[in-house]
Amino acid sequence: MRLLPPLLLAFVAGCATIVGTLQLDDRFGPADPAHFDHPPAAVSGAPDYWREVRPLLDQRCVSCHACYDAPCQLNLTSYAGLTRGANPKTVYSSVRLIADEPTRLGFDALTNADWRQKGFFPVLNERMQSPEANRDGGVMYRMLALKQMHPGPDSGAITNADLDFSLDRTDTCTRAETFDDYASKHSERGMPFGMPPLAKAEHQTLARWLEAGAPYTPAEPLPASALAQVADWERFLNGDSLREQLVARYIYEHWYIGHLHFAEAPGRYFQLVRSRTPPGQPIDVVATRRPYDDPGVPRVYYRLRYSEATQVAKTFMPLQLDAARMERIRQWFFTPTYAVDALPGYEIEKASNPFATFRALPVNSRYRFMLDDAQFIMMGFMKGPVCRGQVALNVINDLFWVAFVAPSDNEARMTTTLLDTDIINLQLPAEHESTAGLLAWRDYAKLEKRFLKEKSTLLAAESKKNLPNVTHLWDGDGKNPNAALTVFRHFDSASVSRGFAGERPQTMLVIGYPLFERMHYLLLAGYDVYGNIGHQLATRLYMDFLRMEGELNFLSFLPLKDRQPVLDFWYRGRKDQTDRYFTDAADYFPRESGMQYRTKDHLGELYQAVAQRMAPVRNPALDWKNTGLTPAEVNQMRRLSQIRGIPASVMPEQSLLLLKRPDGHPQIVSLVRNSAHSNVAEMFDEAERRRPKEDTLLALDGVIGAYPNAFFAVDPEKLPDFVDAIGRLSDEAGLVRLTERFGVRRTDPRFWPTSDALHAEWRRTAPREAAVLDYSRFENR
């Protein structure tokens, strides 16, 4: 009997859909799912898709409707996503017992008719084409019109209980057939959801385009110089020798997530895909869950597929391809002498283990390849399959530094020895594919313990000259800024930037090749966002081991007596059953380091020594140099970065401060709150482990992160008052007052103009990094 109400509700909803369908069929004829498989051509008098419509979608819609976390899976970054439509099924699920079928745009179905078979319904009219039919039969048109009729408040916080801004809210994915009922029950849920309505002229542009049947014009052709580059890279990646094929597979499994581009075609991006067809023929994409899954053909070809999709900050991973990069790859993989006698297969046990698959490739070559764009590789852990996920990201601290063991002949020899004797111990959770048992992580805990014992034995036998010393850290060869990285966690999202931000991090990781590679295959190549709870749990808990290994690497630079107290502070209140293999710092490396300390604050001195090692590649903007700020403004930025404890804890996770300028170009500053925890070794009960009195605030030049929680627009002369006000914060009421005085709320008529100015300035000052921000986490205060 308990199941009756939900079943009854589903029955009633189904009946309403059937009735609505019959009514629309009677007025406009039956729907044709293949209608937009061949996009309607431009119509005289209708707004042009690329010049007028696409910019509006990017500025007003894509901020929420992109990636896997788009409401109702409606992805508006491309025409293909718009015509695919919506799906009520949630991609992010922490209770899924069996892996779901993937619904990746551009891979898992190639026609709208096929998407309809996968549960997607149209938001555009697929029936008879007329202005009336395109209005009444199109969800998108009606959502925009509903907002115009019910724009909501233009000041203060939104108090309507029907507008839920929580990330875990249940989406109401209405169809055209049931829209009348939706509008009567949820009159203030028009689009943009919980934001100011489109300006009249903007609304008219989209309305006229939708009334005309959503016509599409092809994008401008790529320049011949860019096409020549595509041809060069496809030749390079599709050589016939066994070595060339193995190297290409290695490159693909690290670049497939990226947005590849050429200097000859700024703003145009490509995906590296596996194809059944060779260069010169149309791409026939091989769609598999993971990049190393069996393609089902004797040979795959690695092709560059052009993407028309708008780039969004939460997934944007740009990587420029040019002759210099190709030459570096040749030097790493084709200059050394080694043999590739056979190509590895795609059996999941081996393919999920990169150390087995790519055993023939020199360790130093693989490591150099990853270090060359270390930020890109690290970025994949945050921007790949994880658009959302506090449980996935509470495995890391809010602010930590990352440095890398320098590639050297000695390091390569030790790593090769370790991998040759212990490959079996480096198996990863992805070998269970996407449906894993809930206790699978325990097997990997045992393997990790065995691996660390083997590693500790090798480290203990090192000669004195090879003992841990900051001179053994990679310094980017004096020119590569990827040598020093800062990772920020913003509760349920994360970002990585080049250079060490802040004077002192919460923790630090030192990463060598085996650890870096395992992170990549655990968190990106082997992670399936559609996987079941066992897969997610095993991935999350295995990352615990990898994080702690990186921390122990760093602690080995300290005097032996200092390591355990630091480790115990980092893991205050930890529970033995989750990390019992990592509780003894001396057990990991029982010898003294090769460092000579001069002060009593050994940890602080080590941080300074590491920072000094990376000084030649430090970004001047981290010290507010060449940012355009006046000395007085720089002083205020430094005051902001000195705010600690409760005032910092009251601030949003991620705010954007826009300093007004006479020329109309705002100065963008990110205000990042770094939340402190007693430890990050547990999966749940994060609130109980919070230490707000230890929170810090960082002011950083430019845009950090992809999900701003708040905007503050401040006149330069009011900047000291703004800083003072933050320093006095003690509770939520104080933050509300700060927002009333300096903030731009989601109801503020200035919201969209502020957003436009922010994006325009970001594109102007950082054209290779700028992309559309996500407002799904923008706070209602």
Side-chain angles (χ1 to χ4, degrees):
M1 293 298 294
R2 293 181 191 175
L3 296 178
L4 184 58
L7 289 175
L8 183 60
L9 287 172
F11 176 75
V12 172
C15 290
T17 301
I18 292 172
V19 171
T21 300
L22 292 174
Q23 291 174 340
L24 287 177
D25 287 353
D26 185 58
R27 294 175 64 194
F28 308 122
D32 175 13
H35 174 73
F36 287 101
D37 287 344
H38 301 285
V43 177
S44 177
D48 180 78
Y49 175 77
W50 287 106
R51 289 198 310 271
E52 300 170 86
V53 175
R54 185 73 255 165
L56 271 180
L57 294 176
D58 293 346
Q59 292 165 353
R60 303 291 180 263
C61 307
V62 168
S63 289
C64 291
H65 286 279
C67 192
Y68 300 114
D69 61 349
C72 303
Q73 294 193 56
L74 179 58
N75 189 327
L76 297 180
T77 59
S78 67
Y79 191 81
L82 171 59
T83 60
R84 178 181 71 164
N87 188 326
K89 196 167 189 177
T90 302
V91 172
Y92 289 95
S93 171
S94 59
V95 297
R96 192 160 45 219
L97 297 180
I98 302 296
D100 266 347
E101 288 299 313
T103 53
R104 298 162 300 178
L105 190 61
F107 287 94
D108 298 312
L110 299 180
T111 68
N112 290 311
D114 289 340
W115 284 122
R116 301 293 169 263
Q117 296 298 314
K118 291 181 178 289
F120 284 79
F121 62 86
V123 297
L124 302 177
N125 173 43
E126 293 182 341
R127 292 178 167 82
M128 178 188 75
Q129 294 295 294
S130 71
E132 181 186 9
N134 292 332
R135 287 193 297 267
D136 294 356
V139 174
M140 184 173 179
Y141 181 95
R142 300 195 67 181
M143 279 289 192
L144 293 169
L146 183 64
K147 186 70 174 188
Q148 294 292 308
M149 291 185 288
H150 302 278
D154 60 4
S155 63
I158 294 175
T159 57
N160 186 341
D162 192 42
L163 296 182
D164 182 1
F165 299 112
S166 64
L167 278 179
D168 295 325
R169 69 178 181 268
T170 300
D171 290 331
T172 303
C173 304
T174 186
R175 301 166 180 255
E177 293 83 352
T178 57
F179 194 86
D180 287 339
D181 182 62
Y182 173 88
S184 66
K185 294 178 179 177
H186 309 293
S187 61
E188 292 198 23
R189 286 196 193 177
M191 296 296 151
F193 179 84
M195 297 288 186
L198 272 62
K200 295 298 181 183
E202 294 171 343
H203 177 76
Q204 289 172 3
T205 295
L206 289 183
R208 286 170 47 226
W209 181 70
L210 293 169
E211 287 177 329
Y216 173 83
T217 51
E220 292 184 4
L222 292 162
S225 56
L227 293 175
Q229 287 266 31
V230 169
D232 287 346
W233 276 93
E234 288 192 344
R235 278 193 298 271
F236 177 68
L237 292 169
N238 291 288
D240 293 327
S241 72
L242 296 183
R243 183 190 293 204
E244 288 172 309
Q245 291 186 61
L246 187 59
V247 170
R249 178 173 170 178
Y250 185 78
I251 292 172
Y252 166 73
E253 291 186 13
H254 291 77
W255 282 3
Y256 75 97
I257 198 70
H259 299 89
L260 313 180
H261 62 101
F262 304 99
E264 293 82 357
R268 314 292 284 273
Y269 296 93
F270 298 80
Q271 293 174 293
L272 185 59
V273 299
R274 296 193 294 183
S275 173
R276 297 176 182 86
T277 50
Q281 297 182 22
I283 293 174
D284 182 7
V285 69
V286 174
T288 57
R289 281 183 180 269
R290 297 179 178 84
Y292 51 71
D293 285 344
D294 192 339
V297 293
R299 179 178 177 181
V300 295
Y301 298 91
Y302 301 100
R303 307 288 303 278
L304 290 169
R305 180 173 69 170
Y306 176 61
S307 172
E308 290 185 355
T310 297
Q311 304 309 325
V312 293
K314 59 187 173 185
T315 60
F316 189 36
M317 293 179 55
L319 188 73
Q320 182 168 313
L321 302 185
D322 52 31
R325 184 180 299 279
M326 188 183 292
E327 180 56 31
R328 291 197 299 274
I329 294 173
R330 289 187 191 278
Q331 291 176 4
W332 296 326
F333 290 104
F334 296 105
T335 299
T337 300
Y338 63 95
V340 178
D341 298 321
L343 292 177
Y346 291 95
E347 300 84 1
I348 190 64
E349 296 82 3
K350 293 182 179 179
S352 63
N353 184 339
F355 308 109
T357 301
F358 301 108
R359 187 172 185 173
L361 301 181
V363 165
N364 235 13
S365 302
R366 287 178 266 166
Y367 191 30
R368 277 286 184 183
F369 174 84
M370 296 185 76
L371 287 178
D372 194 48
D373 281 287
Q375 183 197 28
F376 174 86
I377 300 294
M378 290 287 291
M379 203 182 294
F381 311 161
M382 298 107 185
K383 293 191 173 187
V386 183
C387 298
R388 157 193 316 194
Q390 177 255 342
V391 171
L393 289 168
N394 69 6
V395 71
I396 61 175
N397 282 285
D398 269 43
L399 172 68
F400 63 93
W401 291 353
V402 178
F404 301 92
V405 178
S408 65
D409 291 341
N410 178 70
E411 180 67 21
R413 278 193 301 271
M414 190 179 80
T415 301
T416 301
T417 300
L418 186 63
L419 296 180
D420 284 347
T421 58
D422 218 48
I423 285 178
I424 188 64
N425 289 343
L426 292 178
Q427 291 172 324
L428 298 171
E431 70 170 325
H432 284 293
E433 301 191 62
S434 298
T435 300
L438 291 177
L439 298 180
W441 70 273
R442 291 187 174 180
D443 295 333
Y444 297 103
K446 295 175 183 177
L447 292 175
E448 179 69 6
K449 180 180 179 181
R450 286 168 52 193
F451 168 73
L452 290 183
K453 282 187 175 180
E454 187 72 30
K455 181 179 178 182
S456 295
T457 300
L458 290 174
L459 289 173
E462 282 288 295
S463 64
K464 188 173 181 179
K465 69 176 182 178
N466 292 323
L467 293 176
N469 192 295
V470 294
T471 58
H472 298 157
L473 296 178
W474 184 53
D475 65 353
D477 304 314
K479 58 185 178 182
N480 191 330
N482 284 282
L485 303 177
T486 299
V487 176
F488 302 94
R489 177 196 167 204
H490 317 288
F491 187 62
D492 55 6
S493 67
S495 55
V496 56
S497 62
R498 293 174 178 174
F500 292 148
E503 295 180 0
R504 186 167 175 156
Q506 293 172 336
T507 60
M508 182 167 180
L509 273 61
V510 171
I511 297 176
Y513 169 68
L515 182 54
F516 207 14
E517 194 77 276
R518 278 181 290 158
M519 285 182 171
H520 175 76
Y521 277 83
L522 176 74
L523 299 175
L524 182 59
Y527 184 76
D528 181 12
V529 71
Y530 299 93
N532 79 331
I533 184 174
H535 169 73
Q536 296 174 31
L537 179 65
T539 300
R540 190 312 185 169
L541 292 174
Y542 195 87
M543 181 55 200
D544 260 340
F545 309 145
L546 301 189
R547 182 201 67 247
M548 288 187 278
E549 183 182 338
E551 291 169 341
L552 288 170
N553 287 342
F554 171 71
L555 292 180
S556 68
F557 289 77
L558 284 173
L560 190 58
K561 66 180 180 63
D562 290 354
R563 296 172 199 166
Q564 195 63 44
V566 175
L567 184 63
D568 289 342
F569 181 78
W570 287 353
Y571 290 92
R572 291 167 286 171
R574 61 186 168 189
K575 297 178 181 179
D576 288 343
Q577 64 265 30
T578 55
D579 58 348
R580 60 186 180 274
Y581 308 119
F582 297 87
T583 58
D584 190 343
D587 189 52
Y588 179 75
F589 182 65
R591 299 176 62 184
E592 288 290 350
S593 75
M595 297 282 293
Q596 297 295 321
Y597 289 91
R598 297 176 176 81
T599 68
K600 293 182 179 180
D601 180 10
H602 295 160
L603 181 60
E605 188 176 342
L606 177 57
Y607 282 134
Q608 290 179 0
V610 173
Q612 186 59 39
R613 170 79 173 163
M614 308 303 170
V617 294
R618 182 174 174 81
N619 181 357
L622 289 169
D623 302 309
W624 299 103
K625 297 176 182 176
N626 306 324
T627 59
L629 293 179
T630 66
E633 291 168 342
V634 169
N635 182 56
Q636 297 303 321
M637 296 302 115
R638 289 176 174 152
R639 285 184 62 207
L640 283 168
S641 292
Q642 291 169 358
I643 292 175
R644 303 272 192 281
I646 297 303
S649 74
V650 175
M651 284 290 287
E653 290 271 353
Q654 185 183 351
S655 309
L656 289 175
L657 165 63
L658 284 78
L659 290 176
K660 300 174 185 179
R661 297 296 191 221
D663 61 4
H665 297 296
Q667 181 88 32
I668 306 171
V669 176
S670 289
L671 302 179
V672 180
R673 186 188 87 203
N674 304 305
S675 301
H677 301 80
S678 59
N679 70 78
V680 291
E682 298 168 38
M683 195 166 181
F684 303 107
D685 301 323
E686 180 171 359
E688 295 180 9
R689 291 177 284 113
R690 280 281 285 115
R691 295 293 183 268
K693 292 182 179 179
E694 299 173 18
D695 286 2
T696 62
L697 191 69
L698 267 183
L700 298 159
D701 181 60
V703 176
I704 300 293
Y707 300 88
N709 305 122
F711 290 160
F712 296 103
V714 179
D715 292 317
E717 61 271 19
K718 297 293 184 181
L719 185 57
D721 295 341
F722 175 71
V723 177
D724 289 342
I726 293 178
R728 292 192 299 267
L729 289 175
S730 60
D731 53 25
E732 173 68 17
L735 183 55
V736 170
R737 290 191 294 273
L738 181 77
T739 303
E740 288 173 346
R741 185 177 179 190
F742 297 105
V744 179
R745 287 185 165 109
R746 57 166 56 240
T747 57
D748 197 317
R750 297 176 298 162
F751 182 86
W752 290 123
T754 299
S755 173
D756 293 343
L758 164 64
H759 282 93
E761 182 63 8
W762 194 16
R763 287 191 298 269
R764 187 181 74 86
T765 56
R768 294 188 179 183
E769 302 171 9
V772 178
L773 294 169
D774 188 295
Y775 295 145
S776 63
R777 291 154 172 82
F778 203 89
E779 294 176 352
N780 176 39
R781 177 175 288 106

